[in-house]
Amino acid sequence: MKMADLSSAEIKARLERSYDAIATTYNAWAVNHPNSLRLSYLGRLLSLFQENATYESPTKNKSALELGCGNGYPILQRLFSSGLFSSIVANDLSSVQLNSARSELESDSSTIQADWRHGDMASLSFNPCSFDIIIGLYTLIHLPRLEQLLMLEKIGLWLKTGGLALLNFSKEDTEADIIEKWLGREEGWIFWSGYGADNIPSLIQKVEGLEMVVGELRPEDESSANVEFFWVIIRRVGTKATLPTMTG
């Protein structure tokens, strides 16, 4: 199946059904999938955030957004427990995964204003300068690649000046990569897309007000040396007054 055979809406509808159906299988697989790399980058992001932030109190008006939070582990859980944020927005395309994250974490968030957003990340709407940090790991790759570029523009708009985003992208330059039965499940239809690691720095450079602080191609773990993603931390350094137009 080729990208030309599917609209953006069809891709997202199929992904939503897939992640809803395989949620239990995926979460069991994720438990045994090494988290050290993503937690290492999260640590770098939060260190940079703390170095740059000025506080009246540790949680004074500090906000975070996770795009594609899944069942909340490990990233969202760390954001809730960090003591750094007064408000957190959690988004996922799968209602099953988002509800799982909410049931597990909301009871631990009595001091945090939590906002749970189900649906397509490309359809989210926030005011400019809403967030101190934004995280999207293994999630933008599920968008058609034109929308990945437009999401970078939205992220640049949503970040406060000086705010940071942690994202990763596919190593390969591919319009569409489809697995029909991911994790051995009949319902496990998965779509990936990307511009490739060599092109991401120039794309970020084209987005007004963004600069790349970190850009590294890293294997998932030593046992999966052939599975690599391009990890970036970006900072908003300028202002941007208008939203990009989503098309396609």
Side-chain angles (χ1 to χ4, degrees):
M1 186 177 296
K2 298 179 180 179
M3 174 65 189
D5 299 325
L6 293 169
S7 69
S8 174
E10 289 170 330
I11 289 169
K12 293 166 187 177
R14 292 193 67 172
L15 282 169
E16 181 176 6
R17 291 194 299 270
S18 178
Y19 271 111
D20 280 348
I22 69 171
T24 300
T25 301
Y26 173 80
N27 292 338
W29 170 82
V31 166
N32 296 312
H33 194 71
N35 286 319
S36 57
L37 188 60
R38 70 183 76 186
L39 290 175
S40 173
Y41 277 103
L42 177 62
R44 292 171 70 176
L45 177 76
L46 295 181
S47 292
L48 286 168
F49 168 64
Q50 290 176 279
E51 288 171 8
N52 294 337
T54 301
Y55 298 98
E56 293 180 19
S57 64
T59 59
K60 182 68 173 179
N61 297 323
K62 303 302 178 185
S63 55
L65 164 66
E66 186 176 11
L67 300 166
C69 67
N71 72 343
Y73 292 91
I75 300 299
L76 193 61
Q77 188 273 334
R78 292 294 180 94
L79 295 180
F80 272 103
S81 64
S82 68
L84 296 174
F85 304 101
S86 56
S87 64
I88 296 176
V89 178
N91 155 257
D92 203 86
L93 185 63
S94 165
S95 61
V96 173
Q97 291 285 50
L98 190 68
N99 289 336
S100 176
R102 184 173 189 169
S103 65
E104 290 293 324
L105 297 174
E106 194 164 46
S107 62
D108 298 327
S109 63
S110 58
T111 62
I112 297 172
Q113 181 181 350
D115 183 358
W116 306 89
R117 299 284 189 102
H118 168 237
D120 172 18
M121 69 176 74
S123 297
L124 293 173
S125 179
F126 302 104
N127 292 328
C129 304
S130 289
F131 299 103
D132 294 277
I133 70 165
I134 297 174
I135 298 173
L137 299 182
Y138 309 100
T139 55
L140 272 71
I141 59 173
H142 288 315
L143 295 173
R145 61 184 181 180
L146 174 60
E147 293 187 28
Q148 293 177 33
L149 177 57
L150 294 173
M151 278 304 302
L152 279 173
E153 295 183 357
K154 282 195 164 189
I155 287 167
L157 179 75
W158 295 338
L159 283 172
K160 299 175 184 178
T161 300
L164 298 161
L166 170 63
L167 313 166
N168 62 3
F169 297 90
S170 64
K171 175 185 176 181
E172 294 79 15
D173 181 352
T174 177
E175 184 179 8
D177 189 359
I178 293 171
I179 298 178
E180 296 284 351
K181 299 178 182 179
W182 190 46
L183 300 180
R185 292 290 302 273
E186 289 288 335
E187 310 95 327
W189 187 92
I190 297 294
F191 170 94
W192 287 276
S193 184
Y195 288 98
D198 291 341
N199 297 315
I200 293 299
S202 62
L203 292 177
I204 292 171
Q205 189 176 22
K206 292 177 181 178
V207 179
E208 181 184 347
L210 291 183
E211 67 172 6
M212 190 170 70
V213 179
V214 174
E216 299 168 349
L217 188 63
R218 294 285 301 275
E220 283 294 271
D221 60 85
E222 292 181 0
S223 65
S224 303
N226 292 326
V227 181
E228 296 179 284
F229 290 88
F230 190 67
W231 294 74
V232 303
I233 296 177
I234 55 180
R235 178 187 289 119
R236 176 174 168 175
V237 294
T239 59
K240 189 175 175 71
T242 58
L243 279 165
T245 301
M246 304 295 287
T247 59

